[in-house]
Amino acid sequence: MIDARRRILLKGSLAAGAVGVAVGAGLLTPRIVLAAWPEAAFKAEAVDAALQSLLGSSSHEANDAIKIKAPDIAENGAVVPITVETDMAGIKSISIIAAGNATPLVAAFDMGENAVGFVSTRIKMAKTSDVIAVVKAGDNVYSAAKEVKVTIGGCGG
Amino acid sequence: MATGTIKVRAKATGGVTEVKALMTHPMETGLRKDKKTGELVPAHFIQEVTCTWKDQTVMAAHWGGTISTNPYLAFKFSGAQPGDEITLKWSDNKGDSDSETAAIS
C-alpha cells in the first residue's frame, strides 16, 4: 500500500517536472515578436545608415508632437538621462540616436499594441551632439532632435 | 543565467501602467581601454529587453553598448489592472540573461 502511494507520488512529481522544463525552455510561453538583434544598424557609423538598416528608410519628418527631455548640458557623458514622449497614435517603435557617437544608434524600442508613447533611459554620449528620437507611427517615420552639450565624453578611449 | 540583477516596479494610474526598472550590468561598448593594461575591454552589453503582460509582449527593446552602465528603463502601457503581473527579461551579447516578475501596484 505504502509502496503504491509512493509510485503515484513519484509519477505526479515527474509529470510536474516535465511541464516545468517545457516552460523553462520557452515551449509554452508565447513567441515574442522581437526579431533578431539588428547588428548592422547598431554597427552603422552614420545616422542615415543606421536608420536605413533599422527601419528600411532613412527619411524622417520632424514633428513637434515628439518631446525629448534631456539636459542642455551633461557634465558626465557616461550617464545622460533621456526621455522621449509623444501622444501620437499607432506607435510601432521609438529609437534613440546620439548623432556624435561612433555608432549613433543607441536603442530601438518596439512597442506593443497597448503601448503609450513614453520611454526613458540613460545613455552614453561621446561628445556634444544632437540626440534624435525617431518614432514610427503607422507607416510614417517622425523625428525630433535636441542638442546636448557634453563636458566629459562617456565612451572611454 | 544571472540572478537578482533586475529591480522592477510597476504602478497603474488612470489605466496607464508605468514600468520602471534598474538592471545591474557592465554595459561595455568594446571601445574602452583598460587603464592598466592598455587592452580593449571586450564588448559586453544587454542586447534585448522584453516586458510581457498576460502573454502579450508590451515592449521589446534592442540595445547597443551605448546605454549607460547599470541601465535604467521606464516605459508605459495601457490596459493592465493593479495586481496583474509583468515580467521583465534581458539577454546580453554573451548569452547571459535574467528575468524578474513584479505585480502592478
Side-chain angles (χ1 to χ4, degrees):
Chain A
M1 182 63 200
I2 290 169
D3 215 35
R5 265 201 201 154
R6 281 181 58 189
R7 282 297 107 196
I8 290 164
L9 186 69
L10 195 60
K11 268 186 194 163
S13 57
L14 270 179
V19 172
V21 167
V23 170
L27 293 175
L28 294 182
T29 50
R31 294 318 302 158
I32 287 164
V33 288
L34 197 62
W37 190 69
E39 187 174 349
F42 278 103
K43 287 202 168 156
E45 290 172 3
V47 175
D48 282 356
L51 281 176
Q52 178 77 39
S53 171
L54 184 72
L55 301 172
S57 158
S58 62
S59 65
H60 49 90
E61 198 180 313
N63 192 307
D64 291 342
I66 305 167
K67 302 262 181 284
I68 302 178
K69 204 173 126 196
D72 293 327
I73 299 172
E75 284 187 12
N76 182 0
V79 185
V80 185
I82 305 284
T83 300
V84 179
E85 212 168 351
T86 173
D87 53 7
M88 283 180 196
I91 293 171
K92 290 192 174 149
S93 76
I94 297 177
S95 308
I96 298 174
I97 289 166
N101 284 4
T103 51
L105 182 62
V106 175
F109 298 86
D110 286 336
M111 313 304 272
E113 287 172 17
N114 293 2
V116 174
F118 174 95
V119 289
S120 180
T121 188
R122 299 190 295 220
I123 71 170
K124 295 175 202 163
M125 290 181 70
K127 60 183 183 196
T128 299
S129 73
D130 276 352
V131 171
I132 307 168
V134 179
V135 176
K136 189 172 182 194
D139 290 331
N140 300 316
V141 181
Y142 302 105
S143 69
K146 182 183 192 308
E147 192 192 44
V148 177
K149 288 195 162 62
V150 177
T151 318
I152 303 166
C155 286
Chain B
M1 188 166 137
T3 50
T5 63
I6 304 176
K7 276 189 212 161
V8 57
R9 273 194 299 177
K11 191 168 170 48
T13 31
V16 175
T17 303
E18 180 170 17
V19 182
K20 289 182 180 176
L22 260 178
M23 287 151 260
T24 308
H25 201 279
M27 299 301 285
E28 287 293 349
T29 54
L31 304 171
R32 194 175 70 90
K33 276 182 185 153
D34 189 309
K35 284 195 176 107
K36 282 178 195 152
T37 62
E39 306 264 318
L40 284 177
V41 179
H44 184 202
F45 55 91
I46 294 176
Q47 285 185 313
E48 288 181 10
V49 182
T50 55
C51 181
T52 48
W53 161 71
K54 283 189 177 172
D55 298 345
Q56 238 189 76
T57 303
V58 287
M59 192 277 318
H62 283 128
W63 283 0
T66 38
I67 292 281
S68 298
T69 305
N70 298 336
Y72 166 78
L73 166 69
F75 65 93
K76 294 177 183 173
F77 70 98
S78 61
Q81 300 292 326
D84 288 358
E85 285 194 333
I86 54 148
T87 301
L88 197 83
K89 180 178 190 288
W90 62 254
S91 56
D92 69 17
N93 64 328
K94 291 188 177 176
D96 204 358
S97 66
D98 193 7
S99 70
E100 184 75 41
T101 301
I104 297 168
S105 63

